[in-house]
């Protein structure tokens, strides 16, 4: 009976590749064509103001499509697949590091209400679930700022100053994995890390994509 029900569900709501959006087998995390492109792609490592960040993919090709479809086209179900590749990158570069908390770059209340969700939080919660580590809101965005993608690198640093604060004064001397969706200049992650490090936390970062 369950197999018949699953067949009907898949017939009307087919599984789609998280990267190219083509219909694919429900047992696969992505289609064969995208899988062939993904195999062998090495995660990208970046040092951001003395904070290490690992990104699963470069911001191009099907990887760019994947995160934009998730972020702007409502493909929230793709978070399962995207977070798996972030998890793989995290385990490869952070080995068996035991984090006290997984957290994410926050949105302001206005941004969250407008979009309906925080894409970085969804990815972070998935990674926390895989690693069996608590997810915690460690940061708060206290004011709106200009979208980072609309600014040059110098203005981006100024644009994030004073935008974030610690969400809890008791978050001190902990090891925290900070998650974001896309890293460009890294100014947002640098500022978020700086806020957390003021309370003597050890912060490591993970993202889905890094611009080249």
């Amino acid at each position: 009976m369950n197999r018949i029900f699953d067949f009907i569900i898949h017939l009307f709501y087919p599984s789609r590749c998280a990267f190219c959006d083509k219909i694919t087998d429900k047992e696969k995390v992505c289609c064969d064509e995208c899988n062939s492109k993904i195999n062998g792609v090495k995660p990208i490592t970046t040092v951001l103001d003395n904070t290490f960040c690992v990104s699963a993919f470069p911001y191009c090709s099907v990887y760019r499509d994947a995160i934009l479809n998730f972020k702007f086209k409502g493909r929230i179900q793709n978070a399962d697949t995207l977070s798996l590749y972030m998890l793989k990158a995290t385990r490869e570069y952070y080995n068996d590091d035991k984090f006290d908390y997984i957290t994410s770059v926050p949105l302001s209340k206005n941004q969250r209400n407008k979009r309906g969700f925080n894409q970085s939080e969804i990815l972070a919660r998935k990674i926390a679930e895989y690693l069996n580590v608590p997810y915690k809101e460690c940061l708060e965005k206290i004011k709106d700022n200009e979208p980072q993608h609309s600014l040059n690198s110098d203005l981006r640093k100024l644009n994030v100053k004073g935008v974030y604060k610690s969400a809890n004064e008791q978050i001190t001397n902990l090891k925290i994995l900070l998650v974001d969706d896309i890293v460009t200049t890294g100014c947002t992650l640098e500022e978020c890390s700086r806020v957390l490090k003021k309370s003597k936390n050890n912060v490591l970062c993970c993202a889905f994509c890094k611009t080249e």
Side-chain angles (χ1 to χ4, degrees):
M1 186 66 181
N2 287 338
R3 289 183 179 179
I4 296 174
F5 181 74
D6 288 343
F7 173 78
I8 294 172
I9 291 295
H10 187 66
L11 183 65
F12 288 97
Y13 302 98
S15 298
R16 292 184 177 274
C17 174
F19 294 88
C20 70
D21 211 35
K22 292 179 182 175
I23 294 175
T24 188
D25 295 338
K26 64 178 181 178
E27 294 82 9
K28 297 179 179 179
V29 296
C30 64
C31 70
D32 292 337
E33 183 178 352
C34 288
N35 187 56
S36 66
K37 295 177 183 178
I38 291 167
N39 282 334
V41 176
K42 290 289 186 181
I44 301 169
T45 57
T46 316
V47 177
L48 307 169
D49 192 26
N50 296 318
T51 298
F52 191 86
C53 179
V54 60
S55 304
F57 296 109
Y59 186 65
C60 64
S61 186
V62 294
Y63 322 117
R64 178 180 181 274
D65 294 340
I67 195 65
L68 293 183
N69 285 339
F70 167 61
K71 189 173 180 178
F72 295 115
K73 294 186 178 180
R75 298 281 196 270
I76 297 178
Q77 67 273 18
N78 290 353
D80 290 333
T81 298
L82 305 190
S83 58
L84 276 175
Y85 289 100
M86 295 172 70
L87 175 70
K88 181 180 177 183
T90 297
R91 283 178 164 163
E92 181 174 345
Y93 282 89
Y94 300 148
N95 300 316
D96 294 325
D97 286 359
K98 181 63 176 176
F99 296 100
D100 294 294
Y101 291 125
I102 312 291
T103 194
S104 60
V105 173
L107 296 179
S108 68
K109 290 182 179 179
N110 288 336
Q111 289 174 317
R112 189 177 187 117
N113 290 338
K114 184 175 180 180
R115 182 169 297 161
F117 61 93
N118 178 351
Q119 69 282 350
S120 297
E121 178 187 342
I122 292 173
L123 294 170
R125 286 185 181 277
K126 290 289 182 182
I127 295 171
E129 186 178 327
Y130 294 138
L131 291 176
N132 195 28
V133 173
Y135 175 85
K136 190 171 185 65
E137 297 285 357
C138 297
L139 293 161
E140 183 181 346
K141 189 170 186 180
I142 55 178
K143 63 180 180 179
D144 290 315
N145 55 353
E146 293 295 322
Q148 288 288 83
H149 63 77
S150 65
L151 305 172
N152 63 37
S153 58
D154 290 333
L155 290 177
R156 288 184 184 201
K157 291 193 177 199
L158 293 173
N159 192 46
V160 294
K161 288 295 182 184
V163 170
Y164 304 97
K165 73 170 188 176
S166 176
N168 191 323
E169 293 182 357
Q170 296 181 348
I171 300 173
T172 59
N173 292 299
L174 299 175
K175 183 172 242 182
I176 298 171
L177 180 66
L178 174 62
V179 174
D180 203 1
D181 57 347
I182 304 168
V183 180
T184 48
T185 59
C187 295
T188 299
L189 282 176
E190 285 179 359
E191 180 65 11
C192 288
S193 297
R194 186 189 67 81
V195 171
L196 290 172
K197 285 180 177 180
K198 286 198 302 185
S199 299
K200 300 181 180 179
N201 294 296
N202 180 10
V203 183
L204 295 170
C205 302
C206 176
F208 181 74
C209 279
K210 171 72 175 73
T211 57
E212 296 179 286

